[in-house]
Amino acid sequence: MAKHDQAEDAGHKDGGVFGKNTELIFALLCGVALGTGFGLSYINTIPTWTSLSLYIVAYFFGGYFTAKEAVQTILKGGFEIDFLMLVAAIGAAILGEWAEGALLLFLFSLGHALEHYAMGKARKSIAALTNLAPPTALVVRDGKEEEIHIEKLVLGDIIIIKPNSKIPADGVVIKGEGSVNQAPITGESVPVDKSPVPDPAKDYTSEKSIKPQFRVFAGTINGASVLEVKVIKEAKDSTISRLVKMVNEAEKQKSPTQLFTDKFEKYFVPVVLILVSALCFAFLVIDEPFSKSFYRAMSVLVAASPCALAISTPSAVLSGVARAARGGVLIKGGRPLEDLGSLNAIAFDKTGTITEGKPQLTNAIPLNDISEEELLTVAVAVEKLSDHPLAEAIVKGAMEKLKKQKIPEAHNVKGIIGRGVQAEIGGKKIYIGNKALFNKAGIPQDILKQVEDLEKGGHTSMLVKRDKDFIGILSLMDVPRKDAKRVLSELTDLGIKKMIMLTGDNQQVAEAVAKQIGITEAWGDLMPEDKVKAVQKLDKSEKMVAMVGDGVNDAPAMAKSTVGIAMGAAGSDVALETADIALLGDRLESLPFAIGLSRKAKGIIKQNLWISLGVVGALIPLTILGIASIGPAVIAHEGSTLIVVFNALRLLAYKNDA
């Protein structure tokens, strides 16, 4: 009963004559036989052997699974609590206390069955993830549509996703546009718009980063449009399969508390066995019959069995990991689950974690009586012909403001490396670039001040010049995520004392972003190795520190932190492998949810420890002194075991806003 490994649970699922409910039905039959025998014992006209026969029947049904597990464990060289309970029941029978022994087996077997049922609920929560993906897919082969099992899909297959149906495989959209509900995998509450990849013929199976608008995951739900998807991962390698595998592996990884309880049991069980053996011979020291000493020893054996202690932490870890997975957070075991709830500081990578990860047009300031519309039109005409990374951001931002404005044609476009771009529009020369493109002395002082003020605020600024006149200033910035400020505030409320942003950008930009979102400190001008040193420094001062990043270039810093947390890990093999905790969706708000869940799990683990240790601590002296017999000891013992399991199951109902 103390060890609930997968092999044991598998055995209970196989059940017996009554299927998977055999153990519970056997326990109930034991109770019926015990109750009937006990009732008949009060009727003088009925022979005593009738009640005894019913108690023997109760022994069979109550002891069947207990004996089966005890034998299996002994054959493997183990020694568990099932064996101790069996010895106690046999001891009661030897003393002629058949009713007491039957009561022990009834409550033990009933507790065992209900406990397996309760733990099964937590495991079903994980198993439900595997059922998210449909069993079949509609595939197009040789120009014909056919429905096949998802295991038979091969890389490069084209599958058709009908409206409002589940997506059967990881892939990229090659035809059709629409939204997909990704909540089952990433926890995102808002459907994500999907569109076809630019090159449908390309092999995307080994592509490291695929934009979210092109990618779909098995188990997500298509919206109202028909999509054609190219399969890029086999069923066994899909994000959902990897998630289920990792959650199951996480269950096996022990938490610090679990390691403590294992160590405690290692010394506690032998001490109990020595105590029980000594109590069997108490009649040699005190004036009482052997039967009384033996009965007391059996009572102590039941009272001291640490069933509740053994199951208290694994049940909470299993429930916590399962609940996190349902919320789009992969927690790899008990250690990160507990550590996450003990954090004092969090270090964030800036780009793509705190910020959107791509520059946006933030300001278009017209100069010399030029309208904003004219400035943006000139900028779009030139930048749409440039391949510079910032050009795309300028064009996108400007077009959103211009709507369907007609754009003039630019000619003789030429990039000036590290400075900007030049072109001609309507016979006039246009220059767009940084201060270095222009002679600093030639930039009017008032315009130069505006540019420098923007740069102090963390913006990348560009001047726009037409012939001899400056007609405007454009500024871009990798803007903070919309939810960043709120998330950081929630983390503060959760008790995180220090939040530091680490970035390769200059200190000025780092401080500007930090000011906007209310982060504690910003450390700029950092190389990847500097981030590792920064995390080590935080680890020394704050003891428990997490590093949040994208799981690729931040992997070394994550490895040095107490808990490494990867953002947007769905579909990213590297992020899933390197991080202790993976936020599957690209959602910063998953972080307070994960920390809140961890705090709740830590609280429940502590409660379970107090309950289990408290009951054992109270029962041992009560049974030694003879105040409590086997019956009350069994009730308290089994009751505490069920209490800790059902207490742990409360984590499955944890709410995001709790």
Side-chain angles (χ1 to χ4, degrees):
M1 189 163 183
K3 308 291 180 191
H4 290 260
D5 56 26
Q6 287 167 326
E8 181 186 317
D9 285 324
H12 285 283
K13 282 175 192 169
D14 294 340
V17 289
F18 299 111
K20 64 180 180 180
N21 294 321
T22 301
E23 187 183 19
L24 182 59
I25 292 168
F26 269 36
L28 294 173
L29 288 172
C30 171
V32 170
L34 168 64
T36 308
F38 189 71
L40 293 176
S41 68
Y42 285 96
I43 302 172
N44 296 327
T45 54
I46 293 175
T48 53
W49 62 262
T50 309
S51 290
L52 179 61
S53 300
L54 287 165
Y55 291 149
I56 292 168
V57 170
Y59 260 67
F60 170 77
F61 285 115
Y64 178 81
F65 280 100
T66 307
K68 186 180 172 185
E69 282 182 23
V71 170
Q72 284 173 348
T73 308
I74 290 166
L75 289 174
K76 289 176 189 172
F79 187 66
E80 289 184 3
I81 291 160
D82 301 271
F83 177 75
L84 303 183
M85 293 295 115
L86 206 58
V87 169
I90 292 167
I94 291 168
L95 293 169
E97 300 285 351
W98 286 93
E100 291 268 22
L103 176 66
L104 166 61
L105 289 174
F106 166 58
L107 290 173
F108 186 76
S109 60
L110 180 64
H112 217 198
L114 290 175
E115 186 185 320
H116 280 123
Y117 170 77
M119 291 294 287
K121 278 196 76 175
R123 286 208 171 90
K124 274 179 188 171
S125 184
I126 294 170
L129 293 169
T130 60
N131 300 325
L132 286 174
T136 60
L138 190 61
V139 66
V140 179
R141 287 179 179 170
D142 301 321
K144 292 180 183 177
E145 292 181 13
E146 58 176 306
E147 195 165 339
I148 63 168
H149 203 274
I150 57 168
E151 266 75 32
K152 292 182 180 176
L153 285 172
V154 296
L155 301 179
D157 267 344
I158 307 300
I159 54 175
I160 295 172
I161 318 295
K162 292 185 175 177
N164 307 310
S165 64
K166 287 182 179 178
I167 294 171
D170 282 18
V172 291
V173 178
I174 59 166
K175 193 174 179 183
E177 291 185 356
S179 60
V180 170
N181 177 4
Q182 297 191 163
I185 303 298
T186 65
E188 288 165 283
S189 54
V190 179
V192 181
D193 291 335
K194 304 293 176 183
S195 57
V197 289
D199 182 7
K202 183 179 172 182
D203 180 10
Y204 287 91
T205 54
S206 56
E207 194 80 11
K208 292 294 179 190
S209 58
I210 301 169
K211 289 185 178 179
Q213 68 261 38
F214 303 141
R215 181 168 204 155
V216 293
F217 302 107
T220 55
I221 304 158
N222 187 24
S225 306
V226 176
L227 299 178
E228 284 189 24
V229 170
K230 188 177 189 178
V231 177
I232 62 169
K233 282 194 177 177
E234 292 176 359
K236 62 183 174 65
D237 298 321
S238 69
T239 297
I240 194 168
S241 297
R242 288 171 60 82
L243 173 60
V244 172
K245 184 184 171 193
M246 285 183 170
V247 169
N248 282 323
E249 284 173 358
E251 184 196 331
K252 299 171 195 170
Q253 295 178 31
K254 296 185 176 182
S255 72
T257 309
Q258 202 170 340
L259 291 170
F260 161 75
T261 55
D262 286 353
K263 195 173 180 181
F264 178 81
E265 283 177 58
K266 188 180 174 183
Y267 296 103
F268 179 72
V269 172
V271 168
V272 168
L273 291 174
I274 292 166
L275 174 64
V276 168
S277 301
L279 287 170
C280 285
F281 299 98
F283 72 97
L284 297 173
V285 181
I286 56 176
D287 185 21
E288 66 179 19
F290 168 73
S291 59
K292 191 171 181 182
S293 295
F294 187 72
Y295 184 83
R296 184 192 296 113
M298 292 302 102
S299 298
V300 172
L301 184 62
V302 173
S305 295
C307 288
L309 181 66
I311 200 66
S312 61
T313 309
S315 57
V317 168
L318 176 62
S319 299
V321 168
R323 175 64 188 97
R326 284 210 330 260
V329 178
L330 173 61
I331 300 178
K332 294 187 185 175
R335 186 193 61 77
L337 177 68
E338 283 197 35
D339 286 347
L340 189 64
S342 308
L343 293 176
N344 296 318
I346 302 177
F348 294 90
D349 172 50
K350 180 182 84 74
T351 308
T353 302
I354 290 289
T355 64
E356 295 286 354
K358 50 196 174 190
Q360 292 183 22
L361 183 66
T362 48
N363 286 290
I365 304 165
L367 303 169
N368 295 323
D369 299 324
I370 299 293
S371 68
E372 184 187 53
E373 191 178 290
E374 188 177 351
L375 170 63
L376 291 173
T377 303
V378 169
V380 171
V382 175
E383 296 291 2
K384 73 175 183 178
L385 301 174
S386 170
D387 59 0
H388 194 279
L390 295 179
E392 188 184 339
I394 292 171
V395 173
K396 187 183 176 189
M399 290 306 290
E400 284 173 3
K401 291 188 175 186
L402 290 171
K403 307 297 182 194
K404 292 183 180 179
Q405 184 76 27
K406 190 178 177 184
I407 307 300
E409 227 175 296
H411 303 279
N412 302 325
V413 177
K414 189 168 79 174
I416 303 163
I417 296 169
R419 296 184 180 187
V421 66
Q422 70 176 54
E424 283 183 23
I425 298 177
K428 293 185 177 182
K429 285 195 174 181
I430 307 294
Y431 300 89
I432 304 176
N434 56 26
K435 290 179 292 185
L437 179 63
F438 309 97
N439 181 353
K440 197 171 179 181
I443 303 171
Q445 204 61 36
D446 59 327
I447 295 174
L448 187 61
K449 187 179 183 304
Q450 285 186 72
V451 170
E452 288 174 347
D453 285 346
L454 284 166
E455 287 174 353
K456 280 177 189 171
H459 298 260
T460 299
S461 298
M462 283 178 274
L463 287 158
V464 183
K465 192 177 186 182
R466 184 162 59 189
D467 283 344
K468 294 179 182 180
D469 299 322
F470 286 100
I471 62 168
I473 303 169
L474 302 174
S475 76
L476 299 103
M477 193 179 187
D478 181 10
V479 296
R481 289 172 178 265
K482 288 176 185 173
D483 55 359
K485 193 171 185 177
R486 176 176 55 82
V487 167
L488 293 172
S489 174
E490 286 176 13
L491 291 174
T492 303
D493 293 342
L494 282 167
I496 304 298
K497 296 169 189 170
K498 217 172 197 181
M499 287 175 281
I500 295 95
M501 185 175 71
L502 309 177
T503 178
D505 287 343
N506 65 61
Q507 187 64 30
Q508 207 173 48
V509 170
E511 286 174 3
V513 172
K515 193 176 177 184
Q516 288 183 55
I517 56 174
I519 206 157
T520 320
E521 291 178 39
W523 299 352
D525 301 305
L526 301 179
M527 298 295 284
E529 58 268 26
D530 296 325
K531 289 184 182 181
V532 173
K533 289 174 188 171
V535 169
Q536 288 175 318
K537 183 181 172 184
L538 279 170
D539 191 48
K540 278 183 186 175
S541 63
E542 305 300 325
K543 306 302 178 196
M544 301 289 282
V545 60
M547 173 67 196
V548 186
D550 63 8
V552 183
N553 58 359
D554 297 311
M558 284 182 187
K560 292 294 179 186
S561 63
T562 313
V563 183
I565 303 171
M567 285 276 296
S572 168
D573 294 345
V574 178
L576 285 172
E577 295 296 341
T578 56
D580 299 306
I581 293 169
L583 309 181
L584 298 173
D586 194 25
R587 300 162 59 244
L588 201 57
E589 62 263 36
S590 295
L591 191 54
F593 159 68
I595 292 174
L597 176 65
S598 172
R599 295 268 169 94
K600 186 80 172 175
K602 271 179 71 75
I604 282 176
I605 288 169
K606 276 184 184 175
Q607 290 166 13
N608 283 356
L609 283 178
W610 280 110
I611 292 166
S612 52
L613 289 172
V615 168
V616 170
L619 281 178
I620 290 175
L622 288 173
T623 48
I624 289 174
L625 295 169
I627 298 169
S629 61
I630 285 180
V634 169
I635 292 167
H637 178 272
E638 295 307 317
S640 66
T641 302
L642 287 174
I643 285 168
V644 299
V645 171
F646 286 114
N647 191 36
L649 288 177
R650 290 194 299 129
L651 284 169
L652 292 174
Y654 179 80
K655 302 288 183 192
N656 292 37
D657 55 355

